[in-house]
Structures are given as C-alpha cells and as structure tokens.
Amino acid sequence: MPTYQFKVNNENRSVDVSEDTPLLWVLRDHLDLVGTKYGCGIAQCGSCTVHLDGNAVRSCSLTMSQVEGKSVTTIEGLSEDGNHPVQEAWKEVDVPQCGYCQAGQIMTASAFLEKNPNPSPEDIKSAMHGNICRCATYNRIYRAVEIAAEKMG
Amino acid sequence: MSTNITSSKFSRRAFMRTSSLAGGGLLIGFNLFQACKPKAAPPIDLAELNYNDFNAFIKIADNGAVTIFSPNPEIGQGVKTSMPMIIAEELDVSWDKVNVVQGILDNENYTRQVAGGSQSIRFGWEALRQTGATAKQMLINAAAARWGVDASECTASEGVITNSKGETLGYGDVVNDAAALEVPEEVALKEVKDFKLIGTDVGNVDIDKIVTGEPLFGLDYKADGMVYAAVVRPTTFGKKLVSYDDAAAKAMPGVIDVVKIGAKVRSLLEKDPGFSSKISTSDKVAVIAKTTWQAMKAKEAIKAEWEDDGTIDSTEEMDKALTGLLDGNRFENLRKDGNVSRAFAQADKVLERTYESPFLPHNCMEPMNFYANVTPEKVHLVGPIQTPAWKAGLVAAMLERDPSEIHLEMTRQGGGFGRRLFGDFVIEAAEIADAIKKPVKVVYSREDDMMDGIYRPAIKYRIKAGVKDGKVTAYHLKEAAINDNMYDLIPNFFPAGAIENYQVDVAKYQSKITTGAWRAPYTNFLAFAEQSFFDELAEMMEVDRVQLRLDLLQKVKGTEDERIQYSPERMEEVIKVAVEKSGWGTKPEGVYQGFVNYYCHNSHVAEVADVEIEDGSPVVKKITCVVDCGIVVNPLGAKNQAEGGVIDGIGHSMYGDYAFKDGTPMAANFDKYRLIRMKEAPVVEVHFLKNEYSPTGLGEPTLPPAGGAIANAFKAATGKRLYNQPFSKYPELLTVPEKEIIG
Ligand code: FES
Ligand code: FES
C-alpha cells in the first residue's frame, strides 16, 4: 500500500492506505479524528467538510493522492480552545440540535468568512447551501455566521 | 381533556434510594417511571452504578458540585439539557454547578426510557421535580439536625441552606449527614411562579464538545480490537438471498471475514412477531474488515443472488391499491358519532377531497450504526438507539442470554425522527458479533440507510363534509395506508366533538416494504389534509376561514366526552395569538397568507405562512408559529425544536418523495433525494403561550401544521389548490397564471 505524507492540524502525518481511500476515512479510522463526519460519501451533504490549504473541501470525495503534501485542518484543529470566532458564535446562538452536521457547517463557514469577511445575506446563504442539516437549524446557522462575521471583521 | 395542572402523588420511598459514596458525597438513585426494585440500594462506588436498580442518579459531592446522570436518549431534542434542568430547579442549585453525564443504561425493565412521541418531558416532569425536591429536603434536614433546629426554620437556595439566625451551610457540608437520613415521605414542590431556572435559556450541555468535534456519536465510538462490518442487504423489498460469492471480497485489503447472518434474527422473529413488519427477514452478508472504507469497498465485491419472497410492490400499484381501498367498503371504524350518511343526504352542499402522500425515509444525518461485543461474560452494545430497553431484551432473547448480561450504552444520536426506535441495526450488530467473536461496529452507508429503511408509509385520506343551513353537519374521514393505520387517539383530535355527525374509518394494504414511525406519525400528513380541507370548506361556505375553526371549537367547550384529546380553550387561544402575531388579514398586497391550527402530542399549535411571488412562483417567506406546550423548561432549546419542526415540515411537504419500482427504492442518496437546505428555509417566528400547565410534547407538534400552512398560502397566491405531496412534483400548480404576472 502506498504511503502518503501530509499535514493535519499542523502536524506531519504519514499513512499507508490504498490509493482510493478517501481522506474522510483516513481521518476517522486511521488518525482518530472523528470530528469530521460521514453523511453521504458523495459530496452532497457537507458533513465531512475540512480545510485543504485553507479551502473548504469534501473529505469524503478526496483521495489521498489529492491530499499528499498538503495541509488539512479539521474541526479538532480549527482553534486551540474551541475559541475560533465561528465556534464562539455557534455557542452564543446555541445552534445545534443533534449536532451531527455542525462540524461540517463550522468548517464551511470558517473557510468562507476567511475569504469573504463582509458577506451579504445572499452570500451567506449561498455559501452554506451545500451543507444539509437534517434537524433544520438553518436559521440559527445563518445567525451564527452573521455574528461570526462581525467578530472576525 | 388534558387540562389538569396538578397531578397524582408519588411515594418517594417507592422510587428513590440514597447512599453515601466511598469517596465522600451523597448518591441518590431513582427511577423515573416506575418503582425501583424493592431491595435495591445505590452503590457506594460510582464505578458500580447499576441501572438495573435505578435508571438515573444524582451525585452531590462534598464540594457541593452536582452531577446528574441523565437517563433519556438524546436524539437532538434537548432532553439531556432540559431534564436535568428540572431536577436542578427543585434541588435549587445554580446551573453552573451542575454537570450532566449520559447514563449507561441496560435495564430490561425500563418502561419509558424512550425518546419518541415527544413524551420524554411529559412523563418525566413530576418524577424529576419530586426527585430534586426530595434531595433538597434531605439536605435541609441534615443541616437542621446539625444546628439543632427544626427543619421548617431552614430554607435552601442556590446550594446554600440558611436558618432563622442567618447561619448558612453549603450542600456539600451536609451531604454525608444527609446520606444517612431516611427519605422523607412528603416534600413540597415549588410554585411555578418561583421557578428560577425553568423558563430561562440554557445552552446545550454538549455544545463545547460539538463545536470542537469531540467523539460523541455512535459512529465515533471505538474500542480495542474493534473491526468494522458493512452489510450486503436486499436492495429490493420482497427478495431474499439465495447465494453469494465472496472470493473477490476476501482477497481485498483489510478484509478479515465474510459471514452470512439472518438465521438468528428469524428465530427471534418467531418468538417476537411484533417486530417482524419492521425488519427484513432475508439472509444478509456481513463483510468484516479492519477499517470502514475497506469493509465498504469489499462489500461492493460480493456477488449476491436474490429470489422473490412474497409480493414485490411498486409505487404505482400501491397507489392503485390505496385508491381501491378508499373507493371500497372494507373499513375498520375508529369513531362514529351520529349518522354521516343521513346528514350527507340532507345536506345543502357536500365537499369531498382526496389527499395523497408518498413514502419517506428518515435520513438521520448520522447513518445507522451500532457496536457489539459478545463474550462469554456479557454482551456489550454501544450506540445510538431510541429504545434501549426493548433492544436489550431482544438481543438477550436472540442470543439466549440472561438479560442481566446485556450491557447497553447509549451515545449521542445524530438525529432520530423515529428511525432509531426500531433498532434492527442493534440486532444485526449483535448477530454479527456473535458470529465473528470480535468487537465489531456495523456501519450503514447512506445508501444502506436510505434503501433499507423503515419508512413513513404512503397514506391517502379522503375527507367529506356536509353543510346545511350554513353549518357543518357531517364529517367523514377515511384513511388508506400501507401496513398500519393511525393510532387510536387520532380520531379524537379536532374536529371530533365539534361536528354532530362524525366518522373515522381506516383500511390498510400489507406490503413487504418496511414501515414505521416517522416524526409525528400520521399527523405529519393528516394535518395537511385536514387543514387544507377546512380552508376549502370555508371557501365553499363563503365564511371566514379562521372564524369557521373558532365556531367549531365553541361546540366542544364543556364537552363530557372523555375521549376528546384536545382542549378547545387552548386551541382557541393559539388561534387568537397567531392571528395577532402574524398580522393575519392585514398584510399588504403581494403577501399571501395560509392558516392552520392543529393538536397533536398533547400540544396545541397554530401556524401562519406568508408567501410572496418571485419569478412567477410562490415563495415561503415567513412562518409565524404559536405553540401551547405548557411550561417551557428551556426556551432556547424549545425554540430550536419548534423552528426545526416547521422547516422540516416544509421541506418534506415540498420535496420529500420516495418511490419504489418493483420493490426497489428509486433513490439511494442525496443526489436523488432532496432535503430542504438553507436557501429554502423561511424565517420562523415562534411564540410560546405562557401558562402553568405541565410540559407537553415539543419535538414533533410544530411539524404537522407546516405543510398545510404553506399549501393554504400557495392557494391564496396562485388560486390553485394542492392535494398531493410533495408539492414540488406539481410545478404547474406552483405558478401564477401568466396574465396576473403581467397585470
Ligand atoms: S459525507 Fe462528504 S459531502 Fe456528505
Ligand atoms: S443539528 Fe442535527 S443534522 Fe444538523
């Protein structure tokens, strides 16, 4: 099995997996980073969103050859103490219901706000549209992104 | 009628026991829903908490810190926060001193350790208050004894006991004394007006862990030596496994074993046939591998042969069968007042309409999964399940083990919506673990989850009403459903009691497609049918649509019919508040409104949808939602539930469609199955009525009215009425006639 080297949450990691193994399962099963969630496996729900060199990507649909040599940030590494402005906003609004989709929501929102610190309502809705929340906490997600934008701006 | 404020007395001795902990501190064990075992005593060592004796514990440490081992499964409805809040209120400790831990639960005797039917809070309310109040009284008694004064001279607040001289002792100072005292027989509960914590906004107790991605869910659980199982299951309802070839799969990396399962489940079903319409009886093939991905990949390499096993159903034929049932006369009667046929014959006008709904998968965001490890000593089960006691009992029966050897731990659950009531996946995990003699986690792919579902059954309603001299004189509701009919309380919901001649009849078609509870069973569609019907009825009668509902409610006031479930007074109140808060009838041109009021899960709800036309189509902009669910324990969490219910209701009535062709589901994942997303979610404004009724259901009741509210608003906007869900399937009904756009 080939070996892949990449950075996860600023640490160098190396894994031996078959080349079709998605990043999602490397994170969850090999590196014990289970904060990144499996929802659909086909890039439709956003549960598995992580940052790849700062961009929000669907880890279920990235193979390790696409990750080799790059830097991945997961929900566990988004901040030192859970105090990233997006995480703070999520706590302030008390967004989650079941909570399962929320890591993906937070990773999408944090990458988006990094690139667009002054989003319009439409920008926020478009950015978050790809992330399903089955509990339908959409309005709280929206408010939390607005608050996070203020905190970051 | 559900209007009682006070409730029955409990005997505290019957459900509480106390002990002092070896390391210091007081442990109170209690049983929420039944008396605990007569001789049971709580352990003195926390490592030995025995949930066969009690289903919940409160620990008060000698530094005053309170730990509540919360008994109920958390599926996102917030009970892990709200139930401890109720204890903390009566115990009178500040919330920041309280730590909540999900209890490990393995008691086959549980009666109500279930997260379903929006009932957790309703059933727990009195017992939780009694428990908190009793603990507080014991601490006061201990302090009084220390001071040598009468307990009645002492008060307690925020974890501090004060006597008439103004001396104080913290709870922690007296826990060890309190542990030695008798449990008092009578304690006073707080007056509702004195609540300090209940009714305040408290954040989700797991919030820090959720936003940092700590392991919480079933899918996150790991154990030493654990392997993963992906299961090849019939993708067609009505087929069973004949043979399979696993040579290619076995040669794949990481694959440990391939086993056939199913025989044990079938023998279990012979013992407990009640479970059978909810579970497939075919053999399945479990592929065991070192990682999830390896198991999933190797599963694809299994070549399986299937053969017919009973009826193979397609949506089209089932549709015809349901219509045939509605047209026929083989109904079971669930309620009959007066004589509807005679009233229809004498009516001036009659309205009859038919409403159709599709099957729906649950699509919990966390796919089904469970961990099992079967050893000679015990059976260890871990994962997300809404009915732990039931499943532990079934596993014991299936593996022929003593129930005391089944040890079931619940994790946080990535959504329930009714799907995790069934636990076919728990049984499956146990059968696999038993076969391979290794700790194993069964993981459903999204495709497995969607295609091996226990669906909301397709249902059709036909409603007929007769009007004479401007009054509704007759109402006849017929249901034709797949596999199961409405539960027996529903015929006693509105408009039962309001119309003299009233009848509810049901019929069903048996299919191999497995069906079961889905968030707000039956009412999730019936509310749309009924409330669309009333809207149209008001149009036919040329009366105000809200006034029609209010007039009908007047007839129910003071009823002596004990079967009636809803309260006309509480319903009237939510209607009036919804009219006021939504600006009903006062909206500027271009805003079209739809009105619904509904009762289910012991709560009364009214919803108003505001719709505007964009690019020729109606768009839902806002829902005003007024809820009477009694005392709201945690408004912050409750609003989240209510909003989610409304948006979920809109999403499924707009887009939810699940069809079968020759027994095979037509969608396997979210590319083909549409769930509501952010852009489609309207603003939801939630108002809770303030009153002193005991809390009632909240996880479900705001969902059913949403579909009707938007359909009625669409009608106002487009002039076209929707009878079938999902609405998006009928784009021609979701457009404004050409000339109106131009004009
Ligand atoms: S799991 Fe990757 S997008 Fe759904
Ligand atoms: S909070 Fe449950 S899926 Fe989003």
Side-chain angles (χ1 to χ4, degrees), chain B residues 30 68 242 294 304 519 531 542 560 582 614 626 678 723:
Chain B
F30 63 103
I68 296 171
V242 189
Q294 287 168 334
R519 194 176 192 177
Q531 290 290 311
E542 296 175 353
E560 282 170 12
S582 67
E614 280 173 9
V626 178
M678 184 176 274
Y723 298 100

Side-chain angles (χ1 to χ4, degrees), chain A residues 1 18 20-22 25 27-42 44-45 47 60 75-79 81-83 87 90-103 105-106 122 124-143 145, chain B residues 74-77 202-204 207-208 210-217 219-220 222 228 253 290-294 296-297 361-367 412-415 417 443-447 518-519 635-637 639-641 643-645 647-648 652 669-671 675-684:
Chain A
M1 270 190 275
S18 63
D20 63 352
T21 311
W25 295 112
L27 294 171
R28 292 187 56 85
D29 287 357
H30 297 260
L31 302 179
D32 262 346
L33 293 166
V34 294
T36 305
K37 296 296 189 254
Y38 166 69
C40 68
I42 58 164
Q44 291 288 320
C45 75
S47 301
C60 69
I75 185 78
E76 291 92 342
L78 184 63
S79 63
D81 304 307
N83 55 4
Q87 289 166 315
W90 243 250
K91 290 186 241 178
E92 204 173 309
V93 179
D94 200 44
V95 174
Q97 284 187 34
C98 82
Y100 192 79
C101 72
Q102 301 294 346
Q105 307 276 3
I106 289 170
E122 282 320 304
I124 296 177
K125 288 186 184 172
S126 296
M128 303 307 298
H129 195 70
N131 285 65
I132 295 174
C133 175
R134 178 66 183 82
C135 303
T137 62
Y138 295 118
N139 292 342
R140 286 198 180 185
I141 292 170
Y142 176 83
R143 281 198 291 282
V145 177
Chain B
E74 177 62 83
I75 54 171
Q77 82 283 48
V202 169
N204 190 316
I207 186 82
D208 290 331
I210 291 170
V211 303
T212 54
E214 279 187 41
L216 283 173
F217 298 92
L219 214 55
D220 304 343
K222 290 188 181 182
Y228 295 85
K290 282 191 201 144
T291 69
T292 317
W293 179 250
Q294 287 168 334
M296 285 178 168
K297 284 306 278 185
H362 297 84
N363 277 324
C364 300
M365 215 62 223
E366 178 191 13
R412 195 175 176 87
Q413 319 197 5
F417 312 108
V443 179
Y444 281 49
S445 65
R446 174 57 60 195
E447 290 79 5
W518 191 101
R519 194 176 192 177
L636 185 65
K639 274 208 167 119
N640 211 350
Q641 288 296 306
E643 270 189 42
I647 297 174
D648 191 7
H652 281 92
N669 207 324
F670 298 132
D671 53 342
L675 285 168
I676 193 167
R677 291 170 185 262
M678 184 176 274
K679 281 187 201 168
E680 294 118 11
V683 171
V684 182

